[in-house]
Amino acid sequence: MFGLKGKINLAIIAVILLSSSCIVLFSYQKSSAELSDAIETGNLDLAHASAAEIQNINSGEFKMLESLANLSFIRDPSADMYEKWKLVNSATGGSAKYFGLGFFNEQGIGYATTGKWSDLHDREYLAVSMQGKKALMDPNWSAVNGHLCTFYAVPVFDAGGRQIAEISAVVDATDLCRTVANISVGKDSHPFIVSMKTGAYIAHEDESFVKDHKQIDDGASQGLLPIIGRIKAGETAYATYYDEQEKRKMSSAFQPVPGTDWSIVLIAPYTDFFGGIGELLRNMIAIALAALAAAVLAGIIVVDISIRPLKRISSAIDGIAHGDADLTRRLEANSNDEIGRLVAGFNTFSGKLQTIVSELKGTKEDLHGYGERLGAMVQDNSDFLSQMIGFIKDVNTEITSQHEKVGSSVSAVGKISEAVELLRNLLQKQTEGVEQASAAVTQMIGNIGSVQASVDKMADEFDSLQQRVGQGIQQSREVNKQIQQIEQQSKMLNEANKVISSIADQTNLLAMNAAIEAAHAGEAGKGFAVVADEIRKLSETSSTESKKIGTQLTGILGSISSVVQASELSDKSFSAMNQKIEETGTLVQQIKGAMEEQTEGSKQISEALGYMNDATVQVRGASEGVDQSQRGIIGDVTSLKQSSDLVKEHIQKMESHIKNLEENENSLLNVATSISGSIYRIGSQIDQFKV
C-alpha cells in the first residue's frame, strides 16, 4: 500500500509520537510523585512545627507558674495567702493576655483572679492540681470576667514536700486563635486545634467556632468523617479526601500537641498544592505536539530529498534489465550519506559487471575450442582405463599374500606385549607401596615437627606463667599488708567514733541543764533557752549519726576480716600453683627431648625409603622403555595390517569405479556435447551487453 517513502515517514511519526508520549507520561508521573511526597512531608512538618509552637506556649505558662510555686515565700505555710496572691499577680507584668492569677489552699479555697475569697474546689483545673498534678482546661466562657479563657494550674509544696496550695492562671483564649491565624496552609487556609476527647474547637481563625463550642464533625462532609476518627484517636498522618459540599478535593495533615489532649489540624484545597501539575501536563503536551509537527515536516523533507537517488538507481536497473543492456551507464552521487554510498556502490557494481562481461566476451571463442578438446580427451581416457584394469588385478594378488603374513606377525607381538604388561604391573604396585611409605614417614616428620613446636611454645608459656605466678604471690602479699593496715585504721576510726558519741551524750546533758537554768531565769533566759534547744538538737543529731557510723564501721571491720582471710587463702593457693607449674615444666622439658630424638630417627627412615624409591623408579623406567618399544612394534605391525587392509579395500573400490567409468564413457561424450551447446548459448546472451 505504501512505498518506501511513505513507510519511512510513518515510522518517523510513530517513533516521535511514542517517544514524546513516553517522555510526557514519565515526566508527569515523576513530577506528580515527587511533588506529592514533598507536599506530604511539608504538611507533616508544618503540623509538627505548629504543634511544637502550641506546646511551647503551654510550656511557657507552666514554667511561669512553677517558678512562682518554687519561691521560698510561696512555699512558706505561715506566710499570708493574700500577700502570696499579690506576689503571683505581680509576675504577669500587666500583660493583656492574662485576666489574672489565683492562689488557693489545699482545699481549693482562696483568692480568685479578682482578689475575692472564693471556694473553687469544684473547678476542673483546681480539682486536678489539688491532686498534685499540672492542669490545663480547654477554653471556656468565664462567668467571672466575661471572656473566653484558657485555665492553667500547678500545685505548691512546702519544704517538706507536702502540698499546701495551688496557683492558677486565666489566659485569654483568643490569643491562641490569633496564633493559629498567623500560620498559613496552602494559599488562604489556616490550621486549627481541636480536643481529641470531645472534638470541640480549642483554637480557630474564626473565634466564634471556639466561643460557640462548635465541634469538628458538625456538618462535616462524608469524606472528612474517617479522618476525624483518626484525629480523635491521636494519630499523626497526612490524608486527602473529597469534600462533597465544596465539590473539590482537600488535603489534610494532623498531629497531637504534646502534653495535652489537643490535636492540631491543617486542611487546605488540594489544588493549592497540585494545581501546578495540571498546568505542567498541558504545557508538556503542547510542546510535545509542536515538536512532533516540526519533526514530521523535517522528516518528510529529508526523506524526499534522500529518496531521489534511489529512484534514479531503480530506473537505471530497469534500463539494464529491459532496455539495451548498456553497462556503460553511470549515476551521479551528490551526497556522502547512505544514499550517496548506495549510488557509488551501484556505479562500482556496474563497472565491475562491465569488466566481467567484457572478459566473458573475450573468452567465448576459447570456450568453444575447450569443448572440442574435452570430447577428444574423453575418448583417450577410455583407452587408458582398459589398461589400468589389468594392472590393478596383478596388484590385488600381491596384496592378498602380504596381508596373510602380517596377520601372523601381529599374533607373535601380542604374546610379547602380555608378558611386558605383567612385569609393568608388578613394578607399579612396588612403586606405589614405596611412595605411600615415604609419604607416611614425611607426614610423621611434619607432625613431629608441629608437636615439637607446640612443646617448645608450651615450655616458654610455662616459664612465663611461673614468672607471673611469682609476681601474683608478691602482689597478693602486698595487698594483704595494705588490708591489715586498713583494718588497724578502721579500728582507730571506731575508737574515735566512740569518743564522738560520748561527747554528744555529754553535750546533750549540758543542753538539758542549760534549758533548765534558762527556765529558772524566766523571761531573761528565753533567748538562751532557744540556743540550748538548738544545741540539744545538734547533740541528738550527732549521737544518731555517730551510731550510724559505728554500725557502718562494724560492718567494714567484718568485711576487712573476711578479705584478710581470703587473701591468706589466695596466697597459699598461689604457692601451691607455683609448685605444680614447676613440676609440669620439668615434664614438658622431658617431652621436648624425646621429641627431638624421635625427629632424628624419622629422618633416617625417610632417607632409606628415598633410596628405595629411587631404585624402584629406575627399574620402572627401564620397564616402561621395554613397554614403549613393544607398544611401538605392535603399533607398527597393526598399522601395517590396517594399511594392507585399506590398500586391499581401495583396490577393490578402484576396480568397481573403473567399471563405472567404462559404463559412463558414453555419458561423458554426451556431457561434452551438451557443454559445447551451453557455451554457444552463453555467448549469445553475453553478446547482448554493450561494453
Side-chain angles (χ1 to χ4, degrees):
M1 295 177 63
F2 296 99
L4 178 61
K5 178 180 177 181
K7 292 179 180 178
I8 293 176
N9 288 331
L10 286 176
I12 291 174
I13 294 172
V15 170
I16 295 175
L17 182 61
L18 180 61
S19 60
S20 300
S21 300
C22 292
I23 292 172
V24 171
L25 182 61
F26 175 77
S27 300
Y28 175 74
Q29 290 180 344
K30 187 68 175 178
S31 301
S32 178
E34 293 291 339
L35 185 57
S36 297
D37 293 340
I39 290 172
E40 179 178 351
T41 303
N43 282 342
L44 287 175
D45 290 342
L46 181 58
H48 180 72
S50 301
E53 184 174 353
I54 302 304
Q55 181 188 13
N56 289 335
I57 293 174
N58 292 334
S59 298
E61 300 297 339
F62 281 122
K63 286 181 180 178
M64 186 268 291
L65 294 177
E66 288 174 344
S67 298
L68 293 173
N70 288 324
L71 294 175
S72 300
F73 181 72
I74 300 298
R75 299 178 66 184
D76 185 0
S78 61
D80 183 70
M81 285 187 62
Y82 185 74
E83 295 298 326
K84 292 181 180 180
W85 175 82
K86 289 196 297 181
L87 176 62
V88 297
N89 274 274
S90 65
T92 61
S95 175
K97 79 170 187 176
Y98 290 100
F99 293 116
L101 275 70
F103 193 87
F104 304 90
N105 60 20
E106 62 270 24
Q107 287 83 31
I109 304 172
Y111 294 96
T113 57
T114 58
K116 294 181 180 180
W117 182 262
S118 305
D119 182 2
L120 302 181
H121 73 278
D122 57 346
R123 298 292 176 90
E124 180 182 354
Y125 59 96
L126 281 182
V128 173
S129 62
M130 286 166 61
Q131 298 176 5
K133 302 176 184 178
K134 295 188 296 184
L136 170 62
M137 194 175 81
D138 295 350
N140 203 347
W141 193 262
S142 174
V144 177
N145 54 46
H147 292 88
L148 186 66
C149 304
T150 304
F151 301 89
Y152 299 85
V154 297
V156 178
F157 301 94
D158 63 8
R162 182 177 63 88
Q163 184 174 350
I164 60 173
E166 298 85 35
I167 301 176
S168 66
V170 180
V171 181
D172 186 0
T174 59
D175 187 66
L176 200 59
C177 294
R178 288 189 292 273
T179 299
V180 297
N182 291 328
I183 302 174
S184 296
V185 182
K187 293 182 179 180
D188 301 316
S189 303
H190 303 278
F192 55 86
I193 304 172
V194 296
S195 171
M196 292 187 290
K197 288 184 176 180
T198 63
Y201 287 98
I202 303 299
H204 196 280
E205 60 174 322
D206 186 352
E207 298 176 5
S208 63
F209 279 60
V210 183
K211 293 178 179 179
D212 297 339
H213 300 288
K214 290 185 178 180
Q215 296 186 348
I216 187 173
D217 48 5
D218 290 342
S221 64
Q222 293 297 319
L224 181 59
L225 291 178
I227 296 176
I228 293 175
R230 298 175 65 184
I231 293 172
K232 290 182 177 180
E235 293 187 21
T236 298
Y238 171 83
T240 58
Y241 67 96
Y242 183 75
D243 192 326
E244 300 87 356
Q245 300 171 0
E246 298 188 10
K247 306 297 182 183
R248 58 180 176 176
K249 190 175 181 180
M250 305 295 288
S251 172
S252 68
F254 41 91
Q255 175 181 326
V257 177
T260 68
D261 295 327
W262 302 346
S263 179
I264 190 158
V265 183
L266 287 69
I267 296 179
Y270 190 81
T271 54
D272 285 2
F273 307 105
F274 293 89
I277 293 182
E279 184 67 22
L280 175 64
L281 178 61
R282 290 190 292 271
N283 292 335
M284 292 176 66
I285 292 174
I287 293 172
L289 291 176
L292 175 63
V296 169
L297 181 59
I300 292 173
I301 295 172
V302 172
V303 169
D304 183 73
I305 295 172
S306 301
I307 284 295
R308 289 176 186 174
L310 291 178
K311 293 180 179 179
R312 293 198 297 270
I313 294 174
S314 177
S315 62
I317 293 173
D318 289 339
I320 293 172
H322 302 97
D324 55 1
D326 186 3
L327 295 179
T328 63
R329 184 177 179 183
R330 299 291 185 270
L331 299 177
E332 294 182 2
N334 298 322
S335 62
N336 293 324
D337 56 6
E338 288 79 3
I339 302 298
R341 289 193 290 273
L342 178 61
V343 172
F346 173 77
N347 291 336
T348 303
F349 170 74
S350 297
K352 188 67 175 178
L353 184 60
Q354 179 184 2
T355 302
I356 293 171
V357 173
S358 297
E359 292 178 357
L360 287 175
K361 283 186 139 188
T363 57
K364 180 182 67 173
E365 297 299 330
D366 295 337
L367 289 174
H368 284 293
Y370 294 151
E372 292 175 357
R373 290 176 60 187
L374 179 61
M377 292 174 66
V378 169
Q379 183 63 42
D380 294 338
N381 287 339
S382 178
D383 297 335
F384 292 147
L385 287 174
S386 298
Q387 294 176 7
M388 288 178 64
I389 289 173
F391 294 148
I392 288 172
K393 288 180 179 179
D394 295 338
V395 173
N396 190 21
T397 301
E398 293 297 329
I399 289 298
T400 301
S401 176
Q402 182 181 0
H403 185 269
E404 292 175 356
K405 294 177 181 179
V406 170
S408 300
S409 298
V410 170
S411 300
V413 173
K415 294 179 181 179
I416 295 173
S417 176
E418 292 176 357
V420 172
E421 181 67 21
L422 179 60
L423 175 61
R424 189 174 65 82
N425 291 335
L426 293 175
L427 289 174
Q428 178 67 25
K429 292 180 180 179
Q430 181 180 359
T431 302
E432 291 176 356
V434 173
E435 289 177 350
Q436 291 176 358
S438 178
V441 171
T442 302
Q443 185 176 4
M444 182 176 68
I445 292 173
N447 293 335
I448 290 172
S450 300
V451 173
Q452 186 172 1
S454 299
V455 170
D456 292 340
K457 186 176 181 180
M458 188 186 300
D460 295 337
E461 292 295 333
F462 270 109
D463 292 340
S464 176
L465 180 61
Q466 188 171 4
Q467 294 176 1
R468 293 179 181 176
V469 169
Q471 295 174 359
I473 292 173
Q474 185 64 29
Q475 293 175 356
S476 177
R477 290 173 180 173
E478 292 294 332
V479 171
N480 195 13
K481 290 179 181 180
Q482 294 177 3
I483 292 173
Q484 290 175 355
Q485 293 177 1
I486 293 172
E487 183 181 16
Q488 294 298 326
Q489 294 172 357
S490 299
K491 291 179 179 179
M492 294 173 64
L493 288 174
N494 194 19
E495 293 297 328
N497 185 59
K498 291 179 180 178
V499 173
I500 292 171
S501 178
S502 176
I503 292 172
D505 292 339
Q506 293 177 5
T507 303
N508 190 22
L509 290 174
L510 290 174
M512 291 177 62
N513 291 333
I516 293 171
E517 293 298 329
H520 291 163
E523 291 294 329
K526 284 185 178 181
F528 187 70
V530 173
V531 174
D533 186 59
E534 291 297 327
I535 293 173
R536 182 183 58 79
K537 291 180 181 179
L538 178 62
S539 174
E540 290 176 353
T541 303
S542 299
S543 178
T544 302
E545 295 300 324
S546 177
K547 291 178 182 179
K548 292 181 181 179
I549 292 172
T551 302
Q552 295 295 327
L553 287 174
T554 302
I556 291 172
L557 285 172
S559 300
I560 291 173
S561 299
S562 301
V563 172
V564 170
Q565 294 175 1
S567 177
E568 292 175 352
L569 292 175
S570 175
D571 190 17
K572 294 179 181 179
S573 298
F574 269 115
S575 299
M577 185 188 302
N578 188 29
Q579 182 179 358
K580 293 297 182 181
I581 289 173
E582 290 177 353
E583 295 174 357
T584 306
T586 303
L587 292 176
V588 169
Q589 293 296 332
Q590 294 175 358
I591 293 171
K592 181 179 179 182
M595 293 303 298
E596 291 176 351
E597 294 176 358
Q598 188 173 359
T599 300
E600 187 64 28
S602 299
K603 290 181 178 177
Q604 295 175 0
I605 294 172
S606 178
E607 291 175 356
L609 286 174
Y611 296 147
M612 185 183 296
N613 190 27
D614 293 340
T616 303
V617 169
Q618 293 176 0
V619 174
R620 183 180 177 186
S623 172
E624 290 179 350
V626 174
D627 187 34
Q628 291 177 357
S629 299
Q630 62 89 18
R631 287 180 182 176
I633 294 171
I634 293 175
D636 294 340
V637 173
T638 303
S639 299
L640 180 60
K641 186 175 183 298
Q642 292 175 352
S643 299
S644 177
D645 293 338
L646 186 60
V647 170
K648 184 177 180 181
E649 182 181 354
H650 287 174
I651 291 295
Q652 292 175 353
K653 290 181 179 179
M654 286 175 63
E655 289 180 347
S656 176
H657 291 163
I658 290 172
K659 289 179 181 179
N660 291 332
L661 287 173
E662 287 179 335
E663 294 174 356
N664 294 331
E665 181 181 358
N666 293 329
S667 298
L668 287 173
L669 290 173
N670 294 331
V671 170
T673 304
S674 299
I675 289 173
S676 297
S678 298
I679 291 171
Y680 175 78
R681 289 192 295 273
I682 290 171
S684 63
Q685 293 293 327
I686 290 174
D687 289 338
Q688 295 180 11
F689 288 96
K690 179 181 179 181
V691 297

